[in-house]
Amino acid sequence: MAQPHSNLSGRTATTRTAARSVERSLTAARRIVHISTVHQPFDQRIFYRECASAAAAGYETHLLAPLPVTALERQGVHLHSVGAPADQRLGLALKRRWQRLRRAAALARQLQADLYHLHDPELIPLGLWLKAATQARVVFDCHENNTAYIRQKRHLQPFLRRGLELGMAAMERLAARSFDAIVTADHGVADLYLRRFGARRVVTIHNFPHLDLFLQQPPPDDEAPFDLVYHGTIPRYHLEVTFAVAEALRRRGRRARWLFFGKCPEAAWAQTELERRGWQADIVLDPNLVPHDQVAARVRQAKIGFIPLPDLPKFQHNIPTKLFEFMALGMPTVLSDLPPSRPFVGDGRCAIMVPPDDSEAYAEAIIRLLDDPALRREMGAEGRARVINEFNWQREAQYLLALYAELL
């Protein structure tokens, strides 16, 4: 199995051992400001992983994000509002995004950080200004392949899509060559920054799960109320694959119970489609937000994790975070066979990978696992061992703290 933290090139940051030598008393005087004008304030990567880890290590940690209140403190992190979330109407949304950017700039300068950690591409100009106007370090955290994400927005006119893609690439190239470091959530995006954008320093910090949140939950038992589960943002293309797989199962005389929970942008369409097919009892779609510390208990209501990623440009680089959460809970997973996941589960010992959009292959893998409880337990135990030994946030946090120590 590939080692997920191997260097991508000679330019990759050498930060793997520095964190362990940092004294807590030295970090206490340092101020780190995370900024996002797009993500919700308690984002799992930004707040629960990165900000909470920095605060626990002794850094004075601030987060600027859209908040309904002016300021609050949680888990040692000082949160400041850059304004309310954007209105869904285009004109108001653009106006409020501009207002949030202005507010973020004012707060960032006022806080006089030693290091600014940015989380949205639209913040790159702000980072360039902070870099020029202050002596602070600036880090850009690229959560996904932004140019590929634009490329798959088929509702946009081709000329507009191409223009946005070129503009995004130009901004990311500026960030790569101007900022003190680029942080990515997987090696695919890190490689893009190194080879295409000429980044000086790139550090990969995966979105692996917190051991204390997932290991306190026992593996799902054979009487779990659902057969399969998917959680997180639920786009339409995931549901379309699910409906095709459910039909393939029915052709084999099988019915499965599915649990989907998380943000669903097209929930109305999904409910209409379920009613049209008469599948309301088979596929439960819960669009309500589940608190961070309750996700694990909700997920283990099913026997098998399900990740139906289509073969789109974005998914050629990004690793599905929920894969490792399923593994941490001792659950086998059926997922699309795409390059980012292969180094972790491509040997087939804790997950079954199938060709993307192949509903028949999905159905065969699901039936295999449902009919063999012993195999589910064996694969689940292997996945859980991998998370305990390697694919966990406790380990990843050390790489983040090592980067901070090196830069500061």
Side-chain angles (χ1 to χ4, degrees):
M1 185 168 58
Q3 295 299 316
H5 282 292
S6 58
N7 283 344
L8 290 169
S9 83
R11 291 174 288 179
T12 303
T14 57
T15 63
R16 300 312 186 203
T17 60
R20 294 174 180 83
S21 66
V22 179
E23 293 293 336
R24 187 182 183 90
S25 60
L26 294 178
T27 68
R30 300 293 191 175
R31 177 178 293 172
I32 295 175
V33 174
H34 287 252
I35 310 175
S36 175
T37 55
V38 176
H39 293 84
Q40 55 101 0
F42 299 106
D43 178 87
Q44 293 203 20
R45 177 175 178 84
I46 299 172
F47 179 82
Y48 285 107
R49 290 184 174 93
E50 296 180 336
C51 288
S53 295
Y59 289 102
E60 182 187 325
T61 306
H62 297 257
L63 171 59
L64 314 184
L67 271 175
V69 297
T70 303
L72 59 89
E73 182 177 343
R74 187 173 296 181
Q75 295 188 17
V77 180
H78 306 276
L79 291 101
H80 309 263
S81 178
V82 298
D87 191 285
Q88 294 301 311
R89 290 168 291 178
L90 180 60
L92 284 176
L94 293 175
K95 179 180 178 181
R96 290 189 178 177
R97 288 183 83 146
W98 172 244
Q99 291 172 340
R100 292 200 305 273
L101 278 169
R102 291 181 62 186
R103 175 66 175 162
L107 283 171
R109 188 65 187 270
Q110 179 183 335
L111 285 168
Q112 298 182 14
D114 297 290
L115 184 147
Y116 294 98
H117 191 138
L118 314 178
H119 291 275
D120 314 319
E122 66 186 55
L123 295 174
I124 290 174
L126 171 60
L128 294 171
W129 174 70
L130 289 170
K131 187 73 178 166
T134 73
Q135 299 300 312
R137 303 292 190 178
V138 177
V139 171
F140 176 56
D141 199 321
C142 185
H143 295 199
E144 59 188 3
N145 185 336
N146 294 304
T147 52
Y149 187 57
I150 292 172
R151 198 178 309 137
Q152 71 187 46
K153 289 181 176 292
R154 298 302 176 188
H155 63 282
L156 297 176
Q157 292 292 330
F159 73 91
L160 177 58
R161 189 168 62 239
R162 180 58 176 164
L164 290 172
E165 184 181 347
L166 290 173
M168 178 66 71
M171 281 209 305
E172 292 190 288
R173 184 173 290 106
L174 272 174
R177 298 181 180 183
S178 303
F179 293 163
D180 297 282
I182 302 296
V183 172
T184 69
D186 50 67
H187 284 317
V189 176
D191 191 54
L192 176 71
Y193 265 86
L194 288 165
R195 299 182 189 281
R196 182 179 176 186
F197 299 141
R200 297 181 299 174
R201 178 178 302 177
V202 179
V203 179
T204 296
I205 300 173
H206 297 93
N207 285 325
F208 291 156
H210 280 278
L211 290 178
D212 52 353
L213 288 179
F214 286 85
L215 295 189
Q216 64 182 347
Q217 295 287 337
D221 57 44
D222 295 340
E223 304 303 318
F226 293 95
D227 296 310
L228 298 112
V229 62
Y230 174 94
H231 68 292
T233 301
I234 310 168
R236 179 167 177 160
Y237 46 71
H238 283 7
L239 292 170
E240 289 173 340
V241 173
T242 300
F243 295 157
V245 175
E247 289 174 348
L249 287 169
R250 285 171 175 257
R251 287 193 292 271
R252 291 165 168 77
R254 304 293 294 268
R255 292 176 63 178
R257 291 212 71 211
W258 313 69
L259 171 63
F260 283 76
F261 68 94
K263 180 181 178 181
C264 185
E266 298 193 52
W269 167 83
Q271 291 295 349
T272 300
E273 190 67 15
L274 289 174
E275 292 171 7
R276 184 182 71 81
R277 296 170 182 263
W279 288 359
Q280 301 96 313
D282 291 346
I283 301 177
V284 173
L285 180 61
D286 181 0
N288 295 313
L289 179 66
V290 175
H292 178 68
D293 59 354
Q294 298 177 26
V295 169
R298 185 83 162 123
V299 169
R300 71 170 297 275
Q301 290 184 300
K303 305 179 183 76
I304 302 167
F306 181 63
I307 309 177
L309 297 181
D311 189 7
L312 294 174
K314 176 180 184 294
F315 302 118
Q316 292 293 328
H317 297 277
N318 295 128
I319 306 166
T321 301
K322 56 189 63 65
L323 168 63
F324 303 98
E325 296 177 347
F326 294 147
M327 292 164 65
L329 287 169
M331 299 172 65
T333 305
V334 177
L335 74 159
S336 304
D337 185 4
L338 294 171
S341 300
R342 288 176 195 150
F344 303 95
V345 297
D347 58 6
R349 294 176 59 195
C350 58
I352 300 177
M353 305 187 79
V354 301
D357 303 319
D358 188 337
S359 57
E360 301 297 331
Y362 272 114
E364 290 175 6
I366 290 167
I367 291 172
R368 178 187 171 195
L369 288 172
L370 289 178
D371 288 349
D372 194 340
L375 177 61
R376 292 202 305 271
R377 287 190 288 271
E378 178 185 339
M379 295 180 73
E382 173 64 25
R384 195 164 200 172
R386 293 184 185 187
V387 170
I388 291 172
N389 294 329
E390 189 170 6
F391 307 143
N392 58 75
W393 178 251
Q394 278 77 351
R395 176 172 174 168
E396 295 300 298
Q398 296 304 311
Y399 307 138
L400 176 67
L401 298 177
L403 174 64
Y404 288 165
E406 182 180 340
L407 294 180
L408 296 175

